[in-house]
Amino acid sequence: MPTITDLRARREALSAQRSSGVARVSYDGKTVDYRSVAEIDRAIEALDREIAGLEGRRIVRHVRVTTAKGL
């Protein structure tokens, strides 16, 4: 099981590559090719949840849905 330090290192590697626009990320001697920026974003979100779980906290997301019937 990876430690919080390992997970944070992976997250930093993903964030750095995402901002540079490169879809190939290397960490811990492994290289992963992502198909899109959205896929990198999902990987970052998964790491955030895993880090939060190891720290004993939860990430709460709020979604607001509105509807209207014509104008």
Side-chain angles (χ1 to χ4, degrees):
M1 179 172 207
T3 65
I4 291 176
T5 306
D6 296 335
L7 295 174
R8 286 186 178 149
R10 287 182 197 171
R11 190 189 187 293
E12 288 302 315
L14 283 169
S15 295
Q17 291 302 92
R18 183 190 184 284
S19 63
S20 70
V22 177
R24 176 175 285 174
V25 180
S26 298
Y27 54 85
D28 296 336
K30 299 176 185 174
T31 301
V32 179
D33 289 319
Y34 291 94
R35 290 177 281 194
S36 65
V37 173
E39 192 173 21
I40 293 174
D41 288 342
R42 286 191 300 273
I44 290 172
E45 289 174 6
L47 285 169
D48 285 342
R49 284 190 303 274
E50 197 169 345
I51 290 168
L54 289 173
E55 291 176 339
R57 58 185 178 84
R58 285 183 10 190
I59 295 178
V60 179
R61 306 251 190 250
H62 295 279
V63 177
R64 178 176 292 184
V65 179
T66 59
T67 61
K69 184 178 177 183
L71 295 173

